Amino acid sequence: MKKDLRMRIGHAPHIHALQSTASLMWGTIAALVPALVWGLYSFGLRAAMTTLAAILGALAGEALVGLVRRRFTLVDGSAFLSGLLLGLAMPPGVPLYVPAVAAFFATAFVKGAFGGLGANWMNPALAGLAFALLNWPQAMGQWVMPRQLTGIAGISGATPLGLVRESLAAGHAGSDPVGLISQAGYLFSPFDRSVTDFLNRVLFEPFGASLPSGYVDLLVGNRPGTIGEISGILLLAGSVYLLARKLIRWEIPAAIFASYALLSWVFGGLAQGAGFFAGDVLFNLFSGSFIIVAFYMATDPVTSPSRRGGMLVYGMVIGSLSFLFRCFGSRAEGSAFAVILADCALPLFEKIGAQSRRAAKAV
Amino acid sequence: MKFSRSFKFGGLSVDLRRNGGDHDAVQNAYLPATATVLLKQHEGAAAHCLVRRGELVREGALIGRADGPGQAAIHAPLPGVVYDIRRVRLPSGGDCEAVVIALEGSFDRLGKREERYLWKSMSRIDILQTLRDRGIAETEQPARPLFEVLRPEKRFSTLVLNALESEPYLQSETMLLAGRIGEVLEGFAILRTATQATQCFLALDATLPELAARVEEAAARLTPTPASIRLEPRYPQDMPERLSEALADKRRDAEGETLFVRPTTAFAVYEAVVLAKPFLERYVTIAGGAVKRPAVLKVRIGTPIGDLIEECGGFVGSPERIVLGGPFRGVAVYDLDAPVTKQTSAVLALSAEETQARRRMPCIRCGRCAERCPERLDPAHLYRLVSAGRFEAARAAGLESCSSCGLCGYVCPSRLTVSEALASARDATVKRGKSA
């Protein structure tokens, strides 16, 4: 045996848990892949280029800051994740400079200027999205129908959420949003019809209920929307992976879901003139960017509280604001702005989460 | 598994026997050709060297005298010639004098029939004096000399036999207890007399019900009969703070301190008092992913750890780090010449797979450290304060109650040296507080 073996020494502890910050980032990216693939299939080459532009923009911003600070941070996955999230939050028809510039802004200014990973106070992807929405509101409203609905990719159309607003503004009334959008000429896929028929026959009719058409499309992702948000079911599948691998904690999404669903049910009908306890929870959950925001953006550890109590309150604030913006606001990206607002109040949530009075004083 | 007792917050459920292997019996390690006996084997001060180079020493001869605070008597673990007296670097920092003994001559104790001394009639002071003369010290960090711990002027109300392994990989306590229940309990009874404690507890590992039952059965013969408590071996259950938390409702309100003693320490006490044997050897766990055949060996003090690893079949692959003690609180060493001391509970050769060492990254505020901290601190926040030099603010946030269990550093995905930074800042503020 080598007697002269010289070991590297270091401080205790000498063993570590498997998880590293980089594996956290790349794990979240992996969880987004199914939703990304669905988005690319639905919207075609244009969507791929949009996502790529966002990722490249984010990496460029990170690299530039890295050059200034003499630190090479591209492999940690955080810039890639910000770029990917921003790309997924883009409408597929947007001009390519929008995602590129917004992503560059996100990593170079929102994150890099404050000191890089861990030092930013606002979620970079959401900040980039807000940047794009404020600068190019027209371009950010270029919705495209997915190929499942129209047969070919690239035909423009309105999102279900936009249609609900339009038809309400035009004076139509009706308690259920799905009914409203079909009145407005929104098409459902043949897939939706057959699955709905099947479910009604097997599951609901024996109990005297029936599922109206349209919901299956919303759930699966046969609808216009941003590249990544449309397939609720694939996003949920990814979130199961995130939770199982303990990449995110359950508290934040659970609080967001609970508060948002409750408010949607109680007050969601008001905008359509249907009174209390008449909201369409399912439609509200699956028609916008709610799911991707709740599981993938609000859970960013850097900008969310680190203790359970704080997480729950933070989640409830996001859920409530999301609902407020969704049903009484004017833009589609309500939940994104809800998270940004909640990020601003982070120190307060941290204080709520501190377990003892001593800790609360110290935070 | 039925609900078992533990502390309240944080901690980590780790497989405490992971990679320790299943050991049937404890074997004596080969005697080393030379033993490097440190004159300081614990916190405190070094003993005064009593031998000169070239001198012949017998097995168990006193070679280091303790006559001041923090010192413990040091004895020759082997018969032989004092080959060298030199300063060696300590793994925990600093240096200290060491006596190098080359094995020669015959053993006075090894292989001889052991004589038994009766201790029941000994007074408290007599026992303390014996423990002091035989150089008995705690067998794990902080490894204070037992005489210092038990000082005549101190009052103890409670005595706890802490039979839980302190950290993953470690097996010495369990192996010793399983093989020597009678001796360990006799040592425990001696300590009961030495402390005059009115309440006694056995803290046993709930995942080893067979062993626990055997210990409980044997302990029923003691007076006063110790109350047995089976605990979930969740790290860091073995630490005094956590044990107190788990015992809180069992303990009658009593004035005085609590002494937590490990089986290996109780065994050393037994040997010192009943067999009149100084601290010459101890149980050492040799384990880790880079060790070919993990084992628990009975090892002479001063044996180089390289010999032990060799005896366990050498390395598999290349070790990433060699640690004396457990993976959470042990000390990393530079080379294989480091000798076994009274507090070396284990020698671990850890593979890269186990250390999971990675490049340091910034804190992403994930909160994993706060989730684990058994003291309910927010290590990430304290780390920020300490890094910014705001020691007073860190103190206000509870820095001083950090018990250095190392869990925050273990879970940190950014591999920040949180626990190390907190420990050194805590020690610095405590020192400053004392001098002020």
Side-chain angles (χ1 to χ4, degrees), chain B residues 79 98 116 134 198 249 308 373 425 427:
Chain B
R116 294 178 62 89
R134 309 269 186 263
T198 48
D249 59 322
L308 300 178
C373 179
D427 295 347

Side-chain angles (χ1 to χ4, degrees), chain A residues 1 3 6-7 11-21 76 117-118 246 301-302 304 307 346 350 355 358 362, chain B residues 9 306 321 327-328 330 334-335 355-356 358 363 365 368 377-378 381 396-397 406 409-410 413-415 419-420:
Chain A
M1 190 165 60
K3 273 282 185 186
R6 288 268 170 225
M7 298 305 303
H11 298 299
H14 306 288
I15 54 173
H16 293 94
L18 280 174
Q19 233 153 53
S20 73
T21 298
D76 68 23
L117 179 63
K246 295 197 164 68
V302 178
S304 65
R307 304 255 185 138
L346 186 61
E350 281 292 42
Q355 271 134 356
R358 186 183 61 193
Chain B
F9 186 88
R321 205 175 265 201
F328 286 109
Y334 298 95
D335 54 35
T355 59
Q356 289 288 331
R358 272 173 222 279
C363 171
R365 303 175 9 89
R368 284 175 171 76
L377 299 172
D378 184 349
H381 184 65
Y410 170 80
S414 286
R415 298 293 185 268
S419 52
E420 202 281 326

Side-chain angles (χ1 to χ4, degrees), chain B residues 177-233:
Chain B
L177 190 62
R180 304 291 194 103
I181 291 179
E183 289 87 340
V184 169
L185 288 177
E186 193 161 353
F188 184 69
I190 295 168
L191 284 169
R192 222 282 310 163
T193 310
T195 52
Q196 300 289 316
T198 48
Q199 299 176 73
C200 297
F201 293 103
L202 304 172
L204 303 170
D205 186 336
T207 56
L208 301 169
E210 223 173 295
L211 176 62
R214 274 170 55 208
V215 175
E216 281 160 10
E217 194 191 316
R221 288 193 288 272
L222 296 181
T223 41
T225 306
S228 164
I229 290 151
R230 298 189 185 188
L231 294 152
E232 184 193 337

Side-chain angles (χ1 to χ4, degrees), chain B residues 37-40 46-51 57 60-67 71-76 97 99 101 132-135 342:
Chain B
V37 188
L38 302 182
L39 289 174
K40 180 183 142 188
H48 298 291
C49 185
L50 294 177
V51 290
V57 289
L62 186 70
I63 56 173
R65 194 182 67 229
D67 49 14
Q71 298 177 333
I74 305 285
H75 300 80
E97 221 170 6
V99 177
I101 299 170
R132 182 185 199 169
D133 294 345
R134 309 269 186 263
K342 291 174 187 175

